[in-house]
Amino acid sequence: MTSDDRDALDGLSARQRATLLRRLWAELADAPERQAAHLAALDAEDCSLRGALDSAGATKRARTAVAARGRLGRGLGFWRSTPALLMIFLLGLGFLADFGIGLYQERQQEARQRQEILLQNTAFGRLYSELLRVEQEPDGRTYRLTTTMQNIDPSSPIYVMLLPVRAYVQVGLGWQEVPSRPAERARQGVVELVGGYDDVVLFEVSQEDWTELIPGYMHIRIDQDMLISNRAQPEDDIIERDNRYYVYLKPHGADDAEIKRRSDMSGTPPVYMPMPPH
């Protein structure tokens, strides 16, 4: 309370002072009710403000969702377009074609492997070949060589193309080829082998400086090459087989007594002695 207020109170009479005090007392008595009313008004105003804020937030969220859907729609619009669908279709078609080509090549490779195994079994399992004999011809310079082929499983034929037989004599540390030809009878080019077949070749040895590994005998190598198939008209189902035969061969006009003396051999020295491949 200021000095002016005190001066004003001093100027009041006793009755006026009592009236003023009763008013102040009544105002103080009504203060809790006014305070409650004031708080209620504030609560109402706060609820209204909160509702307004909530409404504003919901509106903002709705506008944000709409904007997001709009942006998403604009992004998906490209993928709904015809060029994009065509591009996707072509890419899928390319992947499908690549897969199909890979699968086809894999099956072709497997078929070739099966065919190769079958051909190897035919050439080296079903076909038996050996040298039967070597004989001296009466002309005093020619030898007659006979080889044989056998189809071990005659239930299905084997088709064999016989290539020219080549004969070699060892001279020093190397081999020298000697003239060779089929026998006088016609030699078949392709043989349909169901049972057996004998191939006869003539060759001559004129060298005099041949290498003597066994006393009195020449060292001879015979190369018999052939092409083999399971069909009469093959395409790429052909396999090659090379037969190598080695023999010790007695020259024409050799002295059997001298050979026996030098090699300590009993009986008549044979025309040839077969040797294993080496």
Side-chain angles (χ1 to χ4, degrees):
M1 182 179 295
T2 63
S3 57
D4 292 337
D5 293 335
R6 292 191 185 94
D7 293 340
L9 288 175
D10 293 337
L12 294 177
S13 61
R15 187 174 180 178
Q16 289 176 338
R17 290 181 180 177
T19 302
L20 179 59
L21 290 174
R22 284 196 300 271
R23 288 180 180 175
L24 289 174
W25 182 265
E27 288 178 2
L28 290 175
D30 294 339
E33 295 179 0
R34 288 197 303 270
Q35 184 178 6
H38 180 67
L39 291 176
L42 289 177
D43 289 340
E45 183 179 356
D46 182 65
C47 291
S48 299
L49 180 59
R50 187 179 297 109
L53 290 175
D54 291 341
S55 177
T59 304
K60 183 177 181 181
R61 285 194 297 272
R63 286 197 300 268
T64 303
V66 171
R69 286 196 297 270
R71 289 193 297 272
L72 181 60
R74 287 195 298 272
L76 293 177
F78 170 76
W79 298 106
R80 299 192 191 103
S81 64
T82 301
L85 294 176
L86 180 61
M87 181 180 66
I88 294 172
F89 173 75
L90 292 177
L91 286 175
L93 188 63
F95 282 119
L96 184 62
D98 182 69
F99 174 77
I101 292 173
L103 183 61
Y104 172 77
Q105 292 176 342
E106 181 179 354
R107 291 182 176 178
Q108 287 292 101
Q109 180 67 21
E110 292 176 353
R112 285 193 295 269
Q113 291 176 351
R114 288 194 298 269
Q115 184 182 81
E116 183 178 354
I117 293 173
L118 180 61
L119 283 173
Q120 289 179 350
N121 178 67
T122 299
F124 300 100
R126 292 177 52 202
L127 178 61
Y128 173 76
S129 177
E130 69 170 338
L131 185 148
L132 284 182
R133 57 187 172 270
V134 182
E135 303 169 299
Q136 291 179 340
E137 290 291 282
D139 60 6
R141 65 178 184 276
T142 307
Y143 297 89
R144 179 181 292 265
L145 169 73
T146 304
T147 59
T148 186
M149 297 182 296
Q150 296 286 334
N151 183 357
I152 297 177
D153 182 13
S155 61
S156 58
I158 301 174
Y159 295 91
V160 182
M161 175 179 285
L162 298 173
L163 301 179
V165 174
R166 307 177 71 176
Y168 300 84
V169 60
Q170 183 177 353
V171 177
L173 298 178
W175 296 95
Q176 289 187 8
E177 186 174 2
V178 299
S180 61
R181 64 186 185 277
E184 293 181 0
R185 65 182 180 86
R187 184 173 187 255
Q188 301 181 46
V190 177
V191 178
E192 183 181 357
L193 189 61
V194 177
Y197 176 83
D198 292 345
D199 188 24
V200 182
V201 175
L202 302 175
F203 67 93
E204 300 177 9
V205 180
S206 59
Q207 285 83 350
E208 296 182 358
D209 56 347
W210 40 267
T211 300
E212 188 181 67
L213 300 181
I214 291 180
Y217 281 83
M218 300 179 292
H219 192 200
I220 302 295
R221 189 186 86 199
I222 306 296
D223 291 358
Q224 183 189 46
D225 301 335
M226 58 186 70
L227 300 177
I228 302 169
S229 179
N230 291 309
R231 299 190 299 166
Q233 300 295 331
E235 295 179 359
D236 57 348
D237 52 334
I238 299 175
I239 191 171
E240 182 176 1
R241 172 171 169 173
D242 302 333
N243 297 322
R244 300 288 180 266
Y245 304 108
Y246 295 86
V247 298
Y248 291 118
L249 186 62
K250 185 170 69 174
H252 279 281
D255 188 347
D256 288 348
E258 181 65 15
I259 293 176
K260 291 175 62 176
R261 184 189 65 81
R262 294 178 58 196
S263 61
D264 195 21
M265 184 183 298
S266 61
T268 302
V271 174
Y272 77 101
M273 292 182 287
M275 295 294 294
H278 56 280

